[in-house]
Amino acid sequence: MMSRAILFLFAFLGLFASSWVLAAPVKELSARQIGDLQCNADRLTIVGALATMQGTLSELASSASSDPATAAGVQSVQSDVTDAQQAIGTIAKALFTGQTAPASARDQVKSALLSANSTLSGLTSTDATVSSLLQKATSELKVAGAAGEGVVANCN
Ligand SMILES: *[C@@H]1O[C@H](CO)[C@@H](O)[C@H](O)[C@H]1NC(C)=O
């Protein structure tokens, strides 16, 4: 999972480099270039946040293993996040080969993250470690969600 995230980082950084850093002897940034910059920052953020969140979810899975309800919820969130990462992979592949990213992949990212949010927000624990990891995963998901909205707003 981690190496996949790193691959995406390179893919996006590659786009970033070709579209902005290398192309422009920097004088003034056009609105378009600023949009591209923000778009790429949002892409990096969502990829990073989801990779970090998977790490937190793995910790949660072992910390909550004696609590079947929480463990099942965590497993469902893991599967949603994996789903979102796969859809992002589809988008990255399309961008990398100069094709338009399929709208269905974008919808898949959104619905997977909404599903993860809805499951995650229903999970609670009296165990301090589990509870704190749940909060951590929730805030990582929030970062990913906000970056996803940024992608929709800034990547044309
Ligand atoms: C995530 O779930 C919480 C609790 O149900 C809700 O308040 C929040 O609006 C949800 N976030 C998104 C982005 O749907």
Side-chain angles (χ1 to χ4, degrees):
M1 204 51 71
M2 207 48 168
S3 64
R4 196 165 224 232
I6 287 165
L7 185 72
F8 296 152
L9 288 184
F10 279 119
F12 289 132
L13 283 172
L15 290 175
F16 174 81
S18 62
S19 68
W20 185 63
V21 175
L22 300 181
V26 181
K27 269 189 174 175
E28 262 174 44
L29 292 176
S30 67
R32 170 78 213 195
Q33 286 169 323
I34 291 168
D36 287 349
L37 193 61
Q38 189 56 52
C39 161
N40 282 304
D42 291 331
R43 284 174 178 156
L44 287 172
T45 302
I46 192 169
V47 168
L50 292 180
T52 309
M53 189 179 168
Q54 287 283 24
T56 306
L57 291 170
S58 297
E59 286 182 64
L60 259 173
S62 43
S63 301
S65 58
S66 60
D67 170 356
T70 305
V74 168
Q75 203 167 35
S76 153
V77 175
Q78 283 176 311
S79 138
D80 284 333
V81 173
T82 300
D83 216 37
Q85 287 175 315
Q86 278 167 353
I88 289 171
T90 301
I91 294 169
K93 205 183 275 175
L95 293 175
F96 225 24
T97 54
Q99 287 162 347
T100 308
S104 61
R106 202 177 259 196
D107 292 344
Q108 194 186 336
V109 174
K110 190 176 176 186
S111 65
L113 294 185
L114 284 175
S115 168
N117 180 56
S118 133
T119 306
L120 194 56
S121 59
L123 298 178
T124 53
S125 175
T126 50
D127 180 299
T129 304
V130 173
S131 171
S132 128
L133 285 168
L134 285 171
Q135 273 173 24
K136 187 166 182 273
T138 301
S139 62
E140 286 156 1
L141 182 58
K142 228 174 249 174
V143 171
E149 281 167 23
V151 168
V152 171
N154 298 309
C155 303
N156 305 302

